[in-house]
Every structure is written in C-alpha cells, then in structure tokens.
Amino acid sequence: MTAPTRVWPESLLVSGASGSIGAALVEEALSAGTRVVATTSSETGRARLDTLGAITGGDLTVVDVDLSRPQELDPLLADLRSRPDPPHAFVALSSGASGGPLEEKSYEELAGLLHTKVWSAGLIASALGERLALSGWGRIVLVTGITGREPIDGYAVGAAANAAMRTLTKSLSRRWAEAGVTVNAVCPGPVESDRLRALAPVLDQAGEKEVSLGRTHPLGRLVTAAEVVAVVRFLLGPSSSGVNGAEVVVDGGFGRAV
Ligand SMILES: NC(=O)c1ccc[n+]([C@@H]2O[C@H](COP(=O)([O-])OP(=O)(O)OC[C@H]3O[C@@H](n4cnc5c(N)ncnc54)[C@H](OP(=O)(O)O)[C@@H]3O)[C@@H](O)[C@H]2O)c1
C-alpha cells in the first residue's frame, strides 16, 4: 500500500468508542469520510454510536464486545487476522471503572480493568499490526492518562493501568516500524468528560478535588475531548511518519514531570 496523503486514514478501528473522547473521535472521522469500526459493551454505547452514524451519514460498523472478558475478544482478533481489508489504523480508548481504593476492588474487577484497557489494546494492536506491516503502512494509537506518569490519590488502579499502557506502547512501537507501522501513545490530563464527572466524588474524597475542576490548571479550564482528538488525528495521519514510540501529553500543562 502506498502511504496515504489524506489526514484521516481510509479506515479506522476504535475500541471504547462510545465514551466522550471516543464519540468525538468517531464523529470527526466519519465526517471526514473514514470507514469506522467501533466497539462498545453497552446498549447506551451502541445507541450513542448509532446516533453518530445517523448524524454524519458515515460508514460505521458497531461491534458489541465486553473487553473485560478475554474470550469475547477472540472473534474480533480472528476477524482482524483474516479479513481481506483490515482497518488501516487503530485507536485504543476502552477503560473500565478505575477510581477508588485498590483494596476495595475484587480480583475480577482488577483483572477486568486490565483486560478492558491494557490487554485488549495490546492484543488488537498485535493482530492488526501484523497485517498492516504486510501492507506497508499503518497507525496505532494507545490512549494512556496523566496518572500513568504522575499518580494522584484515590486513583492507584487507573494509574497502574495507564503506566502499563505506556510501556506497552514502547514495546509495540519497535515491532513494525520498519514496515511503516507506527505505535504511539496519547496521554490526556483531566478532560471535560462524562468519565471525569463520574470520578469527581472519588477524587474529592481522596483530597484531589481540584483535579476535576480545572480552575487551578494552567489553562484555567479542563482540556476538551476535541483537543485530545486533534492530537490523535495528527498521529493517525501522514505527517506523523517520524513519530514512533512517543507519548504525547495533552494536559494543558497540568502535569509537572519533565
Ligand atoms: N476523561 C478523562 O479525563 C481522561 C483522562 C485521562 C485519560 N483518559 C483515558 O482516555 C480513554 C477514553 O476516555 P473517556 O473519557 O472517553 O472514557 P469513558 O467515557 O469512560 O469511555 C471508556 C470507553 O470504554 C468502554 N468500556 C467500558 N467498559 C468496557 C468493557 N468491559 N468492554 C469494552 N468496552 C468497555 C466504554 O463503552 P461502553 O460502556 O459502551 O462499553 C467507553 O466507550 C480512557 O482510556 C481513559 O482512561 C481519560
């Protein structure tokens, strides 16, 4: 395949597509004429995605899969390995409930979160990456989170999952780079989103109230989903060919690590 020149890839697989960031990404990609395959595990997620398909009139396929159950991923992996026209790019956005004290989570919840966020991303990227390498071009973007770099109180579980996503990105980035397939991470800080609103009580209780308010952030506000999508779009496009194994932080300067 010759390297594309258009900003959005021709086709795109998005896991966890029904969340605030996913919906913004899917809407923009569909509006740009990209064929999108989007995963969800819930009826509300499917309804939200179906609405986006209808609003944009775009080419959208919704796949129902509970990524916390490894065996449910197998049909999707088999399809990616065998279909004649695999998506040209993949963005991993799925994540489960990750706030609250570690000791209050069951083993099933802890394992489920890792499957939903980390292992599904790695397994989908591996299945697709092999195919993309044969075609000579591809883009993979794993979405991490600022707590994977700078943990905050009340978010040990999510922070550990985010840190795992960072190392996974680095490991995968070396696999198919020579064949034109890049793997990068996008690391949002606190985003104006349903997820952050749902997490606010847990963060308040842990003394991290300001994280979810945005007033004390350098921008004086939270970063938006559209601002995260803008960076994902760059990494999916032809101009990012020299960027591989990187983590691009989109936190408006919230983090302090250098
Ligand atoms: N929002 C923020 O402030 C923020 C900050 C830093 C990093 N991030 C990261 O950015 C990514 C997207 O964030 P977001 O705000 O859009 O999150 P979100 O609204 O919580 O979306 C997460 C997605 O994961 C899906 N999901 C949940 N459980 C699942 C399961 N068992 N199987 C399959 N899919 C499942 C959800 O869809 P269904 O329920 O429909 O399946 C949803 O589409 C996440 O990885 C998050 O950790 C977000």
Side-chain angles (χ1 to χ4, degrees), residues 15-24 39-49 63-69 72 92-98 112-113 115-117 120 142-147 155 158 162 165 186-199 222-223 225 228 250:
S15 70
S18 66
S20 301
I21 299 173
T39 80
T40 178
S41 68
S42 69
E43 281 180 26
T44 49
R46 173 170 265 279
R48 188 174 196 183
L49 290 167
V63 178
D64 296 293
V65 54
D66 182 346
L67 297 171
S68 71
R69 301 167 186 266
E72 280 202 23
L93 281 160
S94 53
S95 186
S98 45
L113 176 66
H115 286 306
T116 303
K117 182 155 195 164
S120 72
L142 309 188
V143 175
T144 64
I146 193 72
T147 55
Y155 204 70
N162 282 331
M165 289 290 270
V186 167
C187 175
V191 176
E192 173 65 48
S193 62
D194 296 340
R195 182 177 188 82
L196 192 63
R197 277 184 284 278
L199 271 171
L222 295 164
V223 162
V228 178
V250 193

Side-chain angles (χ1 to χ4, degrees), residues 196-216:
L196 192 63
R197 277 184 284 278
L199 271 171
V202 173
L203 297 177
D204 288 1
Q205 209 173 8
E208 298 277 12
K209 192 182 181 78
E210 292 303 321
V211 171
S212 54
L213 290 176
R215 286 198 303 260
T216 57

Side-chain angles (χ1 to χ4, degrees), residues 79-160:
D79 181 58
L80 290 174
R81 289 192 188 103
S82 62
R83 66 189 299 161
D85 58 341
H88 297 167
F90 167 51
V91 180
L93 281 160
S94 53
S95 186
S98 45
L102 172 70
E103 62 278 11
E104 289 179 13
K105 303 271 183 199
S106 66
Y107 287 131
E108 287 74 20
E109 286 173 315
L110 292 171
L113 176 66
L114 280 184
H115 286 306
T116 303
K117 182 155 195 164
V118 183
W119 304 136
S120 72
L123 291 168
I124 293 171
S126 297
L128 187 60
E130 296 297 333
R131 301 292 308 283
L132 295 176
L134 291 174
S135 80
W137 192 91
R139 294 282 185 268
I140 295 172
V141 175
L142 309 188
V143 175
T144 64
I146 193 72
T147 55
R149 302 166 59 90
E150 299 180 47
I152 55 174
D153 289 342
Y155 204 70
V157 178

